[in-house]
Amino acid sequence: MIRTAATRLSTRVSLTTGRKASLSTAAQDLDRLHTRENYETVLDTFAQHRACAVLRTATSDACPKAMGACIDGGFKIVEFTLTTPDCLDHLSNFRSKYEGEVMVGCGTITSVQDAENAIDAGSEFIITPVLIPEVVTWCAERNIVIVPGCQTPTELFNAYKYGAPIQKLFPGVAGGPGWVKAVSSAMPFLKINPTSGVDLDNAGDFLRMGAASVGLVAPLFDPTAIANEDWDQISQNAAKVMANVKEVGPLKR
């Protein structure tokens, strides 16, 4: 009986080892697989700078000018959205131009195909407007940082459970920073990234109340300033936001 038990144990160990080897081989065979080191670097950058510039423009011409002005104002994390004409071309150009200086991602991703296209263009992280489990899973399997849009505490938790290391709060919620504090206190493992409802003055308040990072859209990229091609105003907006964020300091991971 002792010999039989030992044989069974040996068989279980062999099967487990075999399964792990198969999983490792499968992971290596995934297309667009990123390294774990790259994954951690993206998260470290979010923790260090804590603010992402989210750009949507009606014209292709305005896109690089507005984003360049924002970077001049101090932003180190930027997101190009697929609703912007020629988004992926601009993303690719900025990735090449600011390699190692500014982290570039892609938003308004609504399918795995969108995610594949964004990664092929050079996106360093993926952001979705709503919680799309198959996109989260696709990214998580490949060590790609995914930030899915969530509206409720349940969605935030499910995003985390599916493998999203950062969870985007979108659209804005009643209560603002206070809501974030309540949810992050109850579920401190979440890394909430409020986007809608964050402005030039309250970005630091969100961070102090438990947000891991924030996203800035229209308050940063003022539509009137863009229409008037007032890029200095965009730079000033960016500088104001980053000053408020820096007062809070980096996030301890």
Side-chain angles (χ1 to χ4, degrees):
M1 292 183 66
I2 293 176
R3 183 178 303 167
T4 301
T7 301
R8 289 174 179 170
L9 177 59
S10 176
T11 300
R12 283 200 297 270
V13 170
S14 296
L15 288 172
T16 300
T17 302
R19 278 195 293 268
K20 287 182 177 178
S22 297
L23 288 172
S24 177
T25 300
Q28 292 174 5
D29 290 341
L30 288 174
D31 62 311
R32 302 173 179 85
L33 180 66
H34 288 199
T35 67
R36 190 68 189 182
E37 180 181 6
N38 177 264
Y39 181 87
E40 294 296 334
T41 296
V42 172
L43 293 180
D44 285 343
T45 302
F46 267 102
Q48 176 66 33
H49 299 291
R50 305 190 73 179
C52 178
V54 184
L55 178 61
R56 298 187 184 96
T57 59
T59 68
S60 176
D61 183 64
C63 177
K65 297 174 183 177
M67 192 64 92
C70 171
I71 292 172
D72 289 343
F75 268 80
K76 297 296 184 181
I77 306 173
V78 301
E79 172 193 341
F80 291 87
T81 58
L82 287 182
T83 48
T84 298
D86 302 319
C87 165
L88 296 182
D89 290 335
H90 295 307
L91 186 155
S92 182
N93 290 339
F94 270 69
R95 176 68 194 277
S96 297
K97 181 177 180 179
Y98 292 100
E99 179 69 40
E101 298 178 23
V102 176
M103 189 167 71
V104 180
C106 190
T108 321
I109 300 292
T110 58
S111 68
V112 169
Q113 184 64 62
D114 283 347
E116 290 176 345
N117 293 340
I119 293 300
D120 290 346
S123 182
E124 297 178 85
F125 58 91
I126 295 295
I127 297 188
T128 65
V130 294
L131 179 56
I132 309 170
E134 61 268 28
V135 175
V136 177
T137 301
W138 184 88
C139 290
E141 289 174 344
R142 290 160 174 78
N143 293 326
I144 297 169
V145 170
I146 168 73
V147 187
C150 306
Q151 175 64 54
T152 67
T154 299
E155 287 188 337
L156 290 165
F157 175 77
N158 284 337
Y160 169 82
K161 184 174 65 174
Y162 293 142
I166 303 172
Q167 307 82 35
K168 171 182 172 180
L169 179 59
F170 177 83
V173 294
W179 190 96
V180 172
K181 181 179 181 180
V183 175
S184 61
S185 295
M187 294 185 281
F189 49 84
L190 296 179
K191 297 292 183 289
I192 303 175
N193 173 272
T195 300
S196 177
V198 182
D199 59 36
L200 306 183
D201 297 308
N202 67 10
D205 295 333
F206 273 98
L207 298 177
R208 291 185 183 91
M209 295 293 260
S213 55
V214 293
L216 278 293
V217 194
L220 172 61
F221 296 107
D222 179 65
T224 301
I226 291 177
N228 293 333
E229 299 188 353
D230 188 352
W231 312 124
D232 287 340
Q233 183 61 58
I234 302 298
S235 292
Q236 291 170 21
N237 292 347
K240 183 174 182 178
V241 172
M242 291 313 299
N244 289 333
V245 169
K246 288 177 180 178
E247 284 184 2
V248 183
L251 175 71
K252 294 182 180 179
R253 290 189 61 200

